[in-house]
Amino acid sequence: MVQDPAQQAPSVTPAAPARVLLPSILPAVAVGVMCGLLLVGVEAAAGELQDVLWQTVPDALGIGRHSAAWMFVMLVATGVAVGLVVSMVPGHAGPEPATLGLDAPVLPPVVLPGLVLATGLMLAGGPSLGPENPVIAVNVGLAVWLGGRALPRAPGRIWPVLAEAATIGALFGTPVAAALVISEVLAGQQTRGLLWDNLFAPLTAAAAGSLTAALVDRPSFDLALPPFGHPRWGDLAAAVVVASVGALLALCAVYAFPYVHAVFRRLRHPMLMLPAGGVVLGGLAALGGPLTLFKGLDEIAELAREPGSRSAGEYAVLTVVKLAALLVAASCGFRGGRIFPAVFVGTALGLGAHALVSGVHPSVGVSAGVLGVLLAITRQGWVSLFVAAVLVASPGVIALLCIASLPAWLLVTGRPQMQLRPDGTPVR
């Protein structure tokens, strides 16, 4: 029996020709450089203000830089300052931050300066949030506005994708992170062409953004933990247990998120919500100490410098306080992202596991803890694996993390994320 030739031919997805992809290179590079420079600029300005607020001023007043009183005053003052910005600037510094993730909406240009100012004040003042969500939103808004004027014939939907990819690449210092995020997004969409055809322009933007950030700021995520060699059965067991505990712990904050957010929303006005959040954060800072302040990237490096310098109980306090601070800061209206403080939570959890059971290698504990916490909070599997692996820079850990991600994913899949819809219900 002779088969129909159409049935014999394999199904092949047509690839985009080079002439289709080449015109996207220059716009992608331009967007990548712009996004990298804006991220570095916001963080540099916030760092300068942080030095003034946390070093120059308390030294001039003769107050301890990280005394409980000064931390409380600074966090409340930051709530007041950000509350004033949100209340007074056009567009109120963007939409409700609890509703934002890495996929930012396109904001009108008039909203962007206020969002930058609110983000910079937050980063300098000490609340436990990172720059990722608001900076992505600012870069997306700028890219759409400028790109639409420079290349009006280009598809409008390309600019947000390029800006998000470029900012993620700059945030993590490598375009790989952006490629992983976009791959997850594309998996849920109907696309034309091959995967790498769809990734070509975003990956170009991410490479330009990460290279720009690396040349200007030289970020590093390697915690310089003790090197990890060949994995053993005990390491696998430790990775599975720590990742699962991290996921369960973070889920507690995820389930509490809509309720804590609703409590602050009852205050109705930013000048009440944000200072009230500052009061709670000030109390948490007095309990957890200065390491539980800020976005957490510099603080995890200090934690990892001497993994055995603290007891398991001390690491437990840092873990719980930082997670509570993240929950409050994300609920009361501060503009910021949740990834970097979640990394601190996972790091403290992993080091606490090492302090509790000496057989848990610090690199295994930290990477597994970060993996579990990020899976629960972000529901981004590839990014969680990537961040957990890049922190320890030990190839032997990757296989352990891939296996540990499976039970952790079973715990978090189908459950709410740490993100809300406009009506206050959690995103699943």
Side-chain angles (χ1 to χ4, degrees):
M1 179 176 179
V2 179
Q3 290 184 335
D4 186 348
Q7 295 178 343
Q8 293 177 332
S11 176
V12 178
T13 301
R19 67 177 182 274
V20 174
L21 300 178
L22 283 173
S24 67
I25 293 178
L26 187 58
V29 170
V31 170
V33 172
M34 179 199 74
C35 293
L37 289 176
L38 190 139
L39 171 66
V40 172
V42 169
E43 291 196 319
E48 293 294 328
L49 180 58
Q50 178 181 329
D51 290 342
V52 172
L53 296 177
W54 292 91
Q55 297 180 23
T56 305
V57 174
D59 288 350
L61 296 175
I63 301 173
R65 292 179 177 180
H66 292 108
S67 64
W70 186 249
M71 289 190 293
F72 186 86
V73 167
M74 279 307 310
L75 287 163
V76 175
T78 301
V80 172
V82 176
L84 286 171
V85 171
V86 173
S87 301
M88 299 176 65
V89 299
H92 303 292
E96 167 63 59
T99 65
L100 295 181
L102 294 180
D103 52 340
V106 178
L107 301 177
V110 69
V111 178
L112 305 183
L115 181 55
V116 170
L117 180 57
T119 304
L121 290 172
M122 182 279 300
L123 291 172
S128 294
L129 292 174
E132 58 272 20
N133 292 4
V135 172
I136 289 175
V138 171
N139 279 335
V140 166
L142 280 176
V144 171
W145 181 53
L146 296 174
R149 281 154 179 76
L151 296 172
R153 294 185 179 180
R157 64 181 181 275
I158 190 63
W159 302 113
V161 176
L162 294 180
E164 289 181 12
T167 311
I168 293 171
L171 278 163
F172 295 105
T174 171
V176 175
L180 294 174
V181 172
I182 296 169
S183 297
E184 285 197 87
V185 173
L186 291 177
Q189 299 178 351
Q190 290 185 346
T191 57
R192 294 181 179 179
L194 299 176
L195 174 63
W196 278 96
D197 290 338
N198 289 281
L199 285 177
F200 184 83
L203 192 58
T204 302
S210 62
L211 186 58
T212 300
L215 292 174
V216 176
D217 194 41
R218 298 181 181 179
S220 176
F221 284 83
D222 185 4
L223 298 181
L225 289 165
F228 177 74
H230 296 289
R232 298 168 299 177
W233 289 112
D235 298 320
L236 176 59
V240 169
V241 171
V242 174
S244 299
V245 171
L248 290 173
L249 180 64
L251 278 177
C252 295
V254 170
Y255 274 105
F257 188 40
Y259 300 101
V260 177
H261 179 263
V263 169
F264 284 106
R265 288 297 297 173
R266 289 195 186 99
L267 298 177
R268 296 184 178 277
H269 198 279
M271 280 304 297
L272 296 176
M273 295 166 55
L274 285 153
V279 170
V280 179
L281 292 174
L284 289 171
L287 180 62
L291 282 177
T292 59
L293 298 173
F294 306 108
K295 66 180 182 182
L297 193 57
D298 294 333
E299 289 71 25
I300 63 172
E302 184 174 344
L303 272 184
R305 194 171 295 125
E306 296 181 9
S309 62
R310 293 176 174 83
S311 67
E314 290 173 318
Y315 282 120
V317 170
L318 290 173
T319 301
V320 174
V321 170
K322 186 68 173 182
L323 186 60
L326 164 60
L327 174 61
V328 172
S331 300
C332 69
F334 283 111
R335 272 56 182 165
R338 299 173 279 277
I339 290 179
F340 288 106
V343 171
F344 180 99
V345 174
T347 300
L349 174 65
L351 292 175
H354 168 68
L356 183 65
V357 181
S358 60
V360 177
H361 194 283
S363 294
V364 174
V366 167
S367 57
V370 170
L371 171 66
V373 172
L374 283 179
L375 280 175
I377 287 180
T378 70
R379 213 55 49 81
Q380 296 273 352
W382 284 123
V383 170
S384 301
L385 274 169
F386 169 80
V387 174
V390 79
L391 287 174
V392 299
S394 295
V397 172
I398 297 177
L400 298 178
L401 293 179
C402 289
I403 296 174
S405 68
L406 301 179
W409 183 257
L410 290 176
L411 291 171
V412 304
T413 185
R415 301 185 186 277
Q417 301 179 37
M418 203 171 192
Q419 184 179 345
L420 303 178
R421 296 187 177 88
D423 61 2
T425 59
V427 175
R428 289 183 179 268

